[in-house]
mmCIF file of all heavy atoms in Angstrom:
data_model
loop_
_atom_site.group_PDB
_atom_site.id
_atom_site.type_symbol
_atom_site.label_atom_id
_atom_site.label_comp_id
_atom_site.label_asym_id
_atom_site.label_seq_id
_atom_site.Cartn_x
_atom_site.Cartn_y
_atom_site.Cartn_z
ATOM 1 N N LEU A 1 -11.800 -4.252 12.875
ATOM 2 C CA LEU A 1 -10.688 -3.749 12.068
ATOM 3 C C LEU A 1 -9.967 -4.895 11.373
ATOM 4 O O LEU A 1 -9.587 -4.776 10.195
ATOM 5 C CB LEU A 1 -9.724 -2.971 12.973
ATOM 6 C CG LEU A 1 -8.562 -2.267 12.271
ATOM 7 C CD1 LEU A 1 -9.056 -1.193 11.313
ATOM 8 C CD2 LEU A 1 -7.609 -1.655 13.307
ATOM 9 N N LEU A 2 -9.759 -6.007 12.089
ATOM 10 C CA LEU A 2 -9.091 -7.167 11.498
ATOM 11 C C LEU A 2 -10.116 -7.975 10.712
ATOM 12 O O LEU A 2 -10.749 -8.904 11.207
ATOM 13 C CB LEU A 2 -8.428 -8.022 12.582
ATOM 14 C CG LEU A 2 -7.356 -7.330 13.414
ATOM 15 C CD1 LEU A 2 -6.611 -8.344 14.273
ATOM 16 C CD2 LEU A 2 -6.386 -6.549 12.545
ATOM 17 N N SER A 3 -10.281 -7.559 9.485
ATOM 18 C CA SER A 3 -11.277 -8.142 8.588
ATOM 19 C C SER A 3 -10.885 -7.788 7.169
ATOM 20 O O SER A 3 -10.112 -6.848 6.944
ATOM 21 C CB SER A 3 -12.670 -7.582 8.917
ATOM 22 O OG SER A 3 -13.592 -7.896 7.893
ATOM 23 N N LEU A 4 -11.397 -8.531 6.202
ATOM 24 C CA LEU A 4 -11.174 -8.176 4.803
ATOM 25 C C LEU A 4 -12.157 -7.121 4.318
ATOM 26 O O LEU A 4 -12.092 -6.668 3.178
ATOM 27 C CB LEU A 4 -11.254 -9.421 3.918
ATOM 28 C CG LEU A 4 -10.194 -10.486 4.193
ATOM 29 C CD1 LEU A 4 -10.315 -11.630 3.197
ATOM 30 C CD2 LEU A 4 -8.780 -9.891 4.146
ATOM 31 N N SER A 5 -13.081 -6.732 5.194
ATOM 32 C CA SER A 5 -14.025 -5.663 4.870
ATOM 33 C C SER A 5 -13.590 -4.368 5.550
ATOM 34 O O SER A 5 -12.993 -4.387 6.633
ATOM 35 C CB SER A 5 -15.437 -6.037 5.330
ATOM 36 O OG SER A 5 -15.923 -7.143 4.602
ATOM 37 N N TYR A 6 -13.897 -3.284 4.911
ATOM 38 C CA TYR A 6 -13.596 -1.965 5.475
ATOM 39 C C TYR A 6 -14.581 -0.970 4.882
ATOM 40 O O TYR A 6 -15.392 -1.308 4.009
ATOM 41 C CB TYR A 6 -12.155 -1.555 5.175
ATOM 42 C CG TYR A 6 -11.863 -1.190 3.738
ATOM 43 C CD1 TYR A 6 -11.519 0.117 3.395
ATOM 44 C CD2 TYR A 6 -11.923 -2.131 2.709
ATOM 45 C CE1 TYR A 6 -11.248 0.468 2.075
ATOM 46 C CE2 TYR A 6 -11.649 -1.799 1.399
ATOM 47 C CZ TYR A 6 -11.311 -0.490 1.080
ATOM 48 O OH TYR A 6 -11.049 -0.158 -0.219
ATOM 49 N N SER A 7 -14.544 0.259 5.359
ATOM 50 C CA SER A 7 -15.441 1.281 4.820
ATOM 51 C C SER A 7 -14.879 1.809 3.507
ATOM 52 O O SER A 7 -13.734 2.276 3.462
ATOM 53 C CB SER A 7 -15.579 2.441 5.806
ATOM 54 O OG SER A 7 -16.264 2.034 6.965
ATOM 55 N N SER A 8 -15.655 1.740 2.447
ATOM 56 C CA SER A 8 -15.222 2.284 1.171
ATOM 57 C C SER A 8 -14.942 3.770 1.338
ATOM 58 O O SER A 8 -15.795 4.518 1.830
ATOM 59 C CB SER A 8 -16.302 2.087 0.113
ATOM 60 O OG SER A 8 -15.996 2.836 -1.055
ATOM 61 N N PRO A 9 -13.761 4.257 0.961
ATOM 62 C CA PRO A 9 -13.451 5.673 1.171
ATOM 63 C C PRO A 9 -14.434 6.626 0.504
ATOM 64 O O PRO A 9 -14.725 7.689 1.058
ATOM 65 C CB PRO A 9 -12.049 5.808 0.567
ATOM 66 C CG PRO A 9 -11.456 4.446 0.696
ATOM 67 C CD PRO A 9 -12.597 3.504 0.471
ATOM 68 N N GLN A 10 -14.955 6.261 -0.667
ATOM 69 C CA GLN A 10 -15.844 7.166 -1.392
ATOM 70 C C GLN A 10 -17.286 7.113 -0.882
ATOM 71 O O GLN A 10 -17.935 8.145 -0.737
ATOM 72 C CB GLN A 10 -15.828 6.860 -2.893
ATOM 73 C CG GLN A 10 -14.560 7.294 -3.611
ATOM 74 C CD GLN A 10 -13.429 6.308 -3.420
ATOM 75 O OE1 GLN A 10 -13.606 5.105 -3.533
ATOM 76 N NE2 GLN A 10 -12.244 6.817 -3.113
ATOM 77 N N THR A 11 -17.798 5.920 -0.583
ATOM 78 C CA THR A 11 -19.210 5.779 -0.212
ATOM 79 C C THR A 11 -19.420 5.547 1.277
ATOM 80 O O THR A 11 -20.540 5.735 1.775
ATOM 81 C CB THR A 11 -19.832 4.599 -0.969
ATOM 82 O OG1 THR A 11 -19.256 3.366 -0.489
ATOM 83 C CG2 THR A 11 -19.595 4.719 -2.468
ATOM 84 N N LEU A 12 -18.365 5.098 1.993
ATOM 85 C CA LEU A 12 -18.403 4.724 3.403
ATOM 86 C C LEU A 12 -19.285 3.501 3.665
ATOM 87 O O LEU A 12 -19.551 3.148 4.810
ATOM 88 C CB LEU A 12 -18.851 5.907 4.277
ATOM 89 C CG LEU A 12 -17.932 7.133 4.205
ATOM 90 C CD1 LEU A 12 -18.440 8.241 5.119
ATOM 91 C CD2 LEU A 12 -16.497 6.761 4.561
ATOM 92 N N GLU A 13 -19.718 2.837 2.594
ATOM 93 C CA GLU A 13 -20.423 1.569 2.728
ATOM 94 C C GLU A 13 -19.407 0.438 2.902
ATOM 95 O O GLU A 13 -18.264 0.534 2.453
ATOM 96 C CB GLU A 13 -21.274 1.307 1.481
ATOM 97 C CG GLU A 13 -22.401 2.304 1.284
ATOM 98 C CD GLU A 13 -23.428 2.227 2.401
ATOM 99 O OE1 GLU A 13 -23.728 1.099 2.848
ATOM 100 O OE2 GLU A 13 -23.894 3.290 2.841
ATOM 101 N N PRO A 14 -19.794 -0.658 3.567
ATOM 102 C CA PRO A 14 -18.866 -1.785 3.717
ATOM 103 C C PRO A 14 -18.402 -2.298 2.359
ATOM 104 O O PRO A 14 -19.194 -2.438 1.422
ATOM 105 C CB PRO A 14 -19.700 -2.835 4.451
ATOM 106 C CG PRO A 14 -20.740 -2.048 5.180
ATOM 107 C CD PRO A 14 -21.066 -0.891 4.285
ATOM 108 N N ARG A 15 -17.123 -2.544 2.262
ATOM 109 C CA ARG A 15 -16.533 -3.049 1.019
ATOM 110 C C ARG A 15 -15.559 -4.153 1.375
ATOM 111 O O ARG A 15 -14.773 -4.013 2.311
ATOM 112 C CB ARG A 15 -15.800 -1.932 0.273
ATOM 113 C CG ARG A 15 -15.165 -2.387 -1.033
ATOM 114 C CD ARG A 15 -14.259 -1.315 -1.603
ATOM 115 N NE ARG A 15 -13.706 -1.704 -2.881
ATOM 116 C CZ ARG A 15 -12.683 -1.085 -3.474
ATOM 117 N NH1 ARG A 15 -12.108 -0.065 -2.885
ATOM 118 N NH2 ARG A 15 -12.237 -1.499 -4.645
ATOM 119 N N SER A 16 -15.598 -5.246 0.635
ATOM 120 C CA SER A 16 -14.707 -6.370 0.885
ATOM 121 C C SER A 16 -13.691 -6.484 -0.245
ATOM 122 O O SER A 16 -14.053 -6.427 -1.426
ATOM 123 C CB SER A 16 -15.503 -7.677 1.007
ATOM 124 O OG SER A 16 -14.638 -8.752 1.321
ATOM 125 N N VAL A 17 -12.427 -6.606 0.129
ATOM 126 C CA VAL A 17 -11.344 -6.791 -0.841
ATOM 127 C C VAL A 17 -10.682 -8.123 -0.532
ATOM 128 O O VAL A 17 -10.332 -8.393 0.633
ATOM 129 C CB VAL A 17 -10.324 -5.645 -0.758
ATOM 130 C CG1 VAL A 17 -9.110 -5.926 -1.641
ATOM 131 C CG2 VAL A 17 -10.966 -4.330 -1.169
ATOM 132 N N PRO A 18 -10.504 -8.989 -1.511
ATOM 133 C CA PRO A 18 -9.948 -10.321 -1.237
ATOM 134 C C PRO A 18 -8.474 -10.271 -0.868
ATOM 135 O O PRO A 18 -7.749 -9.353 -1.250
ATOM 136 C CB PRO A 18 -10.170 -11.070 -2.555
ATOM 137 C CG PRO A 18 -10.254 -10.006 -3.599
ATOM 138 C CD PRO A 18 -10.882 -8.826 -2.937
ATOM 139 N N PHE A 19 -8.051 -11.279 -0.124
ATOM 140 C CA PHE A 19 -6.639 -11.478 0.165
ATOM 141 C C PHE A 19 -6.277 -12.903 -0.208
ATOM 142 O O PHE A 19 -6.791 -13.860 0.373
ATOM 143 C CB PHE A 19 -6.329 -11.241 1.644
ATOM 144 C CG PHE A 19 -4.876 -11.515 1.983
ATOM 145 C CD1 PHE A 19 -3.892 -10.601 1.655
ATOM 146 C CD2 PHE A 19 -4.498 -12.697 2.617
ATOM 147 C CE1 PHE A 19 -2.555 -10.848 1.955
ATOM 148 C CE2 PHE A 19 -3.174 -12.953 2.923
ATOM 149 C CZ PHE A 19 -2.204 -12.024 2.589
ATOM 150 N N ASP A 20 -5.408 -13.037 -1.202
ATOM 151 C CA ASP A 20 -4.966 -14.350 -1.657
ATOM 152 C C ASP A 20 -3.541 -14.210 -2.173
ATOM 153 O O ASP A 20 -3.317 -13.738 -3.296
ATOM 154 C CB ASP A 20 -5.883 -14.888 -2.758
ATOM 155 C CG ASP A 20 -5.499 -16.307 -3.195
ATOM 156 O OD1 ASP A 20 -4.432 -16.791 -2.777
ATOM 157 O OD2 ASP A 20 -6.263 -16.910 -3.978
ATOM 158 N N PRO A 21 -2.535 -14.554 -1.371
ATOM 159 C CA PRO A 21 -1.147 -14.363 -1.788
ATOM 160 C C PRO A 21 -0.686 -15.327 -2.874
ATOM 161 O O PRO A 21 0.473 -15.268 -3.283
ATOM 162 C CB PRO A 21 -0.360 -14.587 -0.493
ATOM 163 C CG PRO A 21 -1.232 -15.462 0.334
ATOM 164 C CD PRO A 21 -2.640 -15.076 -0.001
ATOM 165 N N THR A 22 -1.585 -16.199 -3.360
ATOM 166 C CA THR A 22 -1.227 -17.079 -4.485
ATOM 167 C C THR A 22 -1.797 -16.569 -5.798
ATOM 168 O O THR A 22 -1.580 -17.188 -6.838
ATOM 169 C CB THR A 22 -1.768 -18.503 -4.239
ATOM 170 O OG1 THR A 22 -3.207 -18.489 -4.281
ATOM 171 C CG2 THR A 22 -1.307 -19.042 -2.895
ATOM 172 N N SER A 23 -2.510 -15.449 -5.767
ATOM 173 C CA SER A 23 -3.207 -14.960 -6.947
ATOM 174 C C SER A 23 -2.664 -13.605 -7.389
ATOM 175 O O SER A 23 -2.285 -12.766 -6.560
ATOM 176 C CB SER A 23 -4.708 -14.836 -6.650
ATOM 177 O OG SER A 23 -5.377 -14.185 -7.702
ATOM 178 N N ASN A 24 -2.658 -13.381 -8.694
ATOM 179 C CA ASN A 24 -2.288 -12.082 -9.256
ATOM 180 C C ASN A 24 -3.500 -11.201 -9.482
ATOM 181 O O ASN A 24 -3.367 -10.089 -10.014
ATOM 182 C CB ASN A 24 -1.552 -12.260 -10.585
ATOM 183 C CG ASN A 24 -0.082 -12.585 -10.366
ATOM 184 O OD1 ASN A 24 0.572 -12.013 -9.493
ATOM 185 N ND2 ASN A 24 0.439 -13.509 -11.156
ATOM 186 N N ALA A 25 -4.667 -11.668 -9.087
ATOM 187 C CA ALA A 25 -5.878 -10.881 -9.287
ATOM 188 C C ALA A 25 -5.894 -9.697 -8.319
ATOM 189 O O ALA A 25 -5.102 -9.595 -7.382
ATOM 190 C CB ALA A 25 -7.106 -11.760 -9.070
ATOM 191 N N PHE A 26 -6.843 -8.791 -8.547
ATOM 192 C CA PHE A 26 -7.004 -7.635 -7.672
ATOM 193 C C PHE A 26 -7.229 -8.092 -6.232
ATOM 194 O O PHE A 26 -8.007 -9.004 -5.965
ATOM 195 C CB PHE A 26 -8.190 -6.792 -8.129
ATOM 196 C CG PHE A 26 -8.603 -5.733 -7.134
ATOM 197 C CD1 PHE A 26 -7.892 -4.553 -7.029
ATOM 198 C CD2 PHE A 26 -9.688 -5.940 -6.285
ATOM 199 C CE1 PHE A 26 -8.259 -3.585 -6.114
ATOM 200 C CE2 PHE A 26 -10.060 -4.978 -5.372
ATOM 201 C CZ PHE A 26 -9.343 -3.798 -5.283
ATOM 202 N N GLY A 27 -6.552 -7.453 -5.301
ATOM 203 C CA GLY A 27 -6.717 -7.769 -3.884
ATOM 204 C C GLY A 27 -5.636 -7.101 -3.076
ATOM 205 O O GLY A 27 -4.761 -6.406 -3.606
ATOM 206 N N TRP A 28 -5.693 -7.313 -1.760
ATOM 207 C CA TRP A 28 -4.699 -6.676 -0.898
ATOM 208 C C TRP A 28 -3.289 -7.134 -1.219
ATOM 209 O O TRP A 28 -2.331 -6.361 -1.096
ATOM 210 C CB TRP A 28 -5.012 -6.975 0.574
ATOM 211 C CG TRP A 28 -6.253 -6.335 1.092
ATOM 212 C CD1 TRP A 28 -7.338 -6.947 1.645
ATOM 213 C CD2 TRP A 28 -6.560 -4.926 1.117
ATOM 214 N NE1 TRP A 28 -8.290 -6.029 2.005
ATOM 215 C CE2 TRP A 28 -7.842 -4.775 1.688
ATOM 216 C CE3 TRP A 28 -5.878 -3.787 0.703
ATOM 217 C CZ2 TRP A 28 -8.444 -3.533 1.859
ATOM 218 C CZ3 TRP A 28 -6.472 -2.545 0.867
ATOM 219 C CH2 TRP A 28 -7.741 -2.425 1.447
ATOM 220 N N TRP A 29 -3.116 -8.374 -1.636
ATOM 221 C CA TRP A 29 -1.762 -8.884 -1.886
ATOM 222 C C TRP A 29 -1.077 -8.121 -3.015
ATOM 223 O O TRP A 29 0.106 -7.769 -2.918
ATOM 224 C CB TRP A 29 -1.810 -10.374 -2.204
ATOM 225 C CG TRP A 29 -0.457 -10.948 -2.489
ATOM 226 C CD1 TRP A 29 0.063 -11.313 -3.694
ATOM 227 C CD2 TRP A 29 0.574 -11.205 -1.528
ATOM 228 N NE1 TRP A 29 1.340 -11.771 -3.555
ATOM 229 C CE2 TRP A 29 1.679 -11.723 -2.227
ATOM 230 C CE3 TRP A 29 0.667 -11.048 -0.146
ATOM 231 C CZ2 TRP A 29 2.872 -12.082 -1.588
ATOM 232 C CZ3 TRP A 29 1.850 -11.411 0.493
ATOM 233 C CH2 TRP A 29 2.928 -11.920 -0.235
ATOM 234 N N THR A 30 -1.778 -7.857 -4.092
ATOM 235 C CA THR A 30 -1.156 -7.200 -5.244
ATOM 236 C C THR A 30 -1.206 -5.679 -5.157
ATOM 237 O O THR A 30 -0.577 -5.001 -5.962
ATOM 238 C CB THR A 30 -1.834 -7.651 -6.548
ATOM 239 O OG1 THR A 30 -3.248 -7.383 -6.464
ATOM 240 C CG2 THR A 30 -1.611 -9.120 -6.804
ATOM 241 N N TYR A 31 -1.932 -5.138 -4.179
ATOM 242 C CA TYR A 31 -2.136 -3.693 -4.122
ATOM 243 C C TYR A 31 -0.808 -2.942 -4.012
ATOM 244 O O TYR A 31 -0.518 -2.036 -4.793
ATOM 245 C CB TYR A 31 -3.043 -3.362 -2.933
ATOM 246 C CG TYR A 31 -3.377 -1.897 -2.806
ATOM 247 C CD1 TYR A 31 -3.878 -1.180 -3.889
ATOM 248 C CD2 TYR A 31 -3.207 -1.232 -1.599
ATOM 249 C CE1 TYR A 31 -4.202 0.162 -3.769
ATOM 250 C CE2 TYR A 31 -3.533 0.105 -1.469
ATOM 251 C CZ TYR A 31 -4.021 0.802 -2.554
ATOM 252 O OH TYR A 31 -4.332 2.125 -2.426
ATOM 253 N N ARG A 32 0.020 -3.306 -3.034
ATOM 254 C CA ARG A 32 1.325 -2.659 -2.875
ATOM 255 C C ARG A 32 2.459 -3.695 -2.927
ATOM 256 O O ARG A 32 3.460 -3.574 -2.206
ATOM 257 C CB ARG A 32 1.384 -1.887 -1.547
ATOM 258 C CG ARG A 32 0.442 -0.694 -1.484
ATOM 259 C CD ARG A 32 0.651 0.107 -0.206
ATOM 260 N NE ARG A 32 -0.341 1.139 -0.026
ATOM 261 C CZ ARG A 32 -0.251 2.388 -0.494
ATOM 262 N NH1 ARG A 32 0.800 2.736 -1.207
ATOM 263 N NH2 ARG A 32 -1.203 3.273 -0.262
ATOM 264 N N ARG A 33 2.311 -4.689 -3.771
ATOM 265 C CA ARG A 33 3.369 -5.693 -3.891
ATOM 266 C C ARG A 33 4.643 -5.049 -4.439
ATOM 267 O O ARG A 33 4.618 -4.300 -5.420
ATOM 268 C CB ARG A 33 2.913 -6.825 -4.815
ATOM 269 C CG ARG A 33 3.902 -7.986 -4.896
ATOM 270 C CD ARG A 33 3.326 -9.150 -5.683
ATOM 271 N NE ARG A 33 2.885 -8.725 -7.009
ATOM 272 C CZ ARG A 33 2.186 -9.492 -7.853
ATOM 273 N NH1 ARG A 33 1.826 -10.711 -7.482
ATOM 274 N NH2 ARG A 33 1.839 -9.036 -9.031
ATOM 275 N N VAL A 34 5.778 -5.322 -3.817
ATOM 276 C CA VAL A 34 7.035 -4.688 -4.200
ATOM 277 C C VAL A 34 8.007 -5.655 -4.873
ATOM 278 O O VAL A 34 8.987 -5.214 -5.490
ATOM 279 C CB VAL A 34 7.709 -4.032 -2.979
ATOM 280 C CG1 VAL A 34 6.827 -2.939 -2.404
ATOM 281 C CG2 VAL A 34 8.070 -5.054 -1.904
ATOM 282 N N ILE A 35 7.778 -6.945 -4.754
ATOM 283 C CA ILE A 35 8.580 -7.945 -5.466
ATOM 284 C C ILE A 35 7.635 -8.965 -6.070
ATOM 285 O O ILE A 35 6.884 -9.625 -5.351
ATOM 286 C CB ILE A 35 9.584 -8.651 -4.533
ATOM 287 C CG1 ILE A 35 10.633 -7.667 -4.026
ATOM 288 C CG2 ILE A 35 10.256 -9.823 -5.254
ATOM 289 C CD1 ILE A 35 11.620 -8.271 -3.030
ATOM 290 N N ASP A 36 7.659 -9.082 -7.392
ATOM 291 C CA ASP A 36 6.862 -10.073 -8.116
ATOM 292 C C ASP A 36 7.816 -11.107 -8.713
ATOM 293 O O ASP A 36 8.626 -10.770 -9.588
ATOM 294 C CB ASP A 36 6.053 -9.387 -9.228
ATOM 295 C CG ASP A 36 5.187 -10.371 -10.002
ATOM 296 O OD1 ASP A 36 5.237 -11.583 -9.710
ATOM 297 O OD2 ASP A 36 4.455 -9.922 -10.914
#
């Protein structure tokens, strides 16, 4: 569970989403960011 990979909701295949709190690119950090 503690991983950057998870089951894709649509395909249930492993999917990796990056985490980089210094980047504005797509990833967990910007997904629900509330203060930019």
Side-chain angles (χ1 to χ4, degrees):
L1 185 63
L2 300 190
S3 167
L4 297 184
S5 294
Y6 72 114
S7 292
S8 169
Q10 287 80 45
T11 68
L12 299 181
E13 295 296 321
R15 180 190 183 194
S16 183
V17 173
F19 177 77
D20 184 351
T22 67
S23 171
N24 279 319
F26 169 79
W28 292 122
W29 179 254
T30 56
Y31 183 51
R32 294 186 188 271
R33 185 173 55 189
V34 298
I35 294 177
D36 181 358

